[in-house]
Amino acid sequence: MTVFAHPFMQHAFLAGTGIGLACGLVGYFLVLRAQVFTGDALSHVAFTGALAALAFGIDPRIGLFTATIGIAMLMGALGRRGRADDVVIGNVFAWILGLGVFFLTLYTTTRSTANGTAGVSVLFGSIFGLSAGQATTAAWIAGGIALMMVVIARPLLFASIDETVASAKGVPVGLLGLVFLALVGATAAEAAQAVGSLLLLGLIAAPAGTALLLTDRPYRGLAISAGLAVTELWAGLALSYAAPSIPPSFAIIAVATAAYLTATLYSRLGRPHLARPVPATS
């Protein structure tokens, strides 16, 4: 019996393909713009948003997207030119996580029909538990995120490399930064369904970090990052199917981490000119 003979695997691969594509595209710019800490903060926001929705008896996906997109844009608005700086993120970080613990307590103590495993699902994801409708919705949303990233890729790359010159050339740097952060928030909400809020940063950052180690050409790196994210997600799902004792979220992140470590060794041993600067000659 093949992997795709099971409906739950079909749903996981459908949703996972879109999620991986969105994570690869968004993650590349997140790493390029040195905003990985923003992704880390949004993982806590995803946890809090989902549990807040559960506490109030609504679909956790509504809480996921509302919280991650809203807080991402708020951090961008408080930062400079649509960028969330470390001071803003630091002020939001611990408070959001504490709020998540509060909503978890509220959910488990005030709702008599509460599912005791809900907190674990939010933390570690439940991609094998997606229904056909949920998987299709996830794929469409992720496809929309990927399309938006393709549309803004050129001006966003310009703004990421040289913000001052881009602004002087008429690129709306601040607005572009806010749109990008909104897409980061939506991607965090999507990734949380696959690997959970605790591990979503790995799925967003690891393929992008690997791509930057393999090439210094931005558009090629963007394509590599997207391709790696999808491939790693597929490999993780297949590994978890072959070894049911391995959670899919762990398998996906393990594959992504292994690829990053391999690329790191390659860049240092196989391509030493990328790992060590050439000394200037007098």
Side-chain angles (χ1 to χ4, degrees), residues 213-242:
L213 287 170
L214 295 177
T215 181
D216 53 3
R217 296 186 179 182
Y219 292 117
R220 180 180 295 178
L222 192 62
I224 291 174
S225 179
L228 278 173
V230 173
T231 302
E232 289 162 0
L233 206 145
W234 286 350
L237 293 177
L239 177 60
S240 183
Y241 174 80

Side-chain angles (χ1 to χ4, degrees), residues 55-259:
F56 289 106
I58 60 179
D59 191 327
R61 289 174 298 175
I62 296 176
L64 273 173
F65 283 95
T66 301
T68 53
I69 294 174
I71 295 296
M73 294 190 70
L74 176 63
M75 290 192 297
L78 293 174
R80 184 181 64 86
R81 289 185 173 180
R83 284 178 181 255
D85 58 46
D86 289 349
V87 175
V88 172
I89 296 171
N91 281 312
V92 172
F93 200 99
W95 177 73
I96 285 291
L97 184 58
L99 198 59
V101 175
F102 166 74
F103 282 124
L104 176 60
T105 303
L106 186 66
Y107 172 63
T108 55
T109 57
T110 63
R111 302 186 67 83
S112 59
T113 58
N115 179 1
T117 64
V120 175
S121 296
V122 171
L123 283 172
F124 297 103
S126 55
I127 193 168
F128 282 163
L130 296 178
S131 66
Q134 290 172 332
T136 302
T137 300
W140 275 109
I141 293 174
I145 295 171
L147 179 61
M148 283 294 298
M149 286 304 305
V150 171
V151 170
I152 68 172
R154 185 178 180 85
L156 184 61
L157 178 63
F158 190 9
S160 301
I161 294 174
D162 197 326
E163 189 177 83
T164 303
V165 174
S167 181
K169 291 289 186 179
V171 176
V173 173
L175 177 60
L176 197 61
L178 287 175
V179 171
F180 173 65
L181 283 177
L183 293 173
V184 174
T187 303
E190 282 283 277
Q193 298 179 74
V195 295
S197 61
L198 193 63
L199 301 176
L200 71 83
L201 181 63
L203 185 57
I204 293 175
T210 304
L212 286 169
L213 287 170
L214 295 177
T215 181
D216 53 3
R217 296 186 179 182
Y219 292 117
R220 180 180 295 178
L222 192 62
I224 291 174
S225 179
L228 278 173
V230 173
T231 302
E232 289 162 0
L233 206 145
W234 286 350
L237 293 177
L239 177 60
S240 183
Y241 174 80
S245 61
I246 301 177
S249 54
F250 170 77
I252 293 167
I253 299 303
V255 172
T257 302

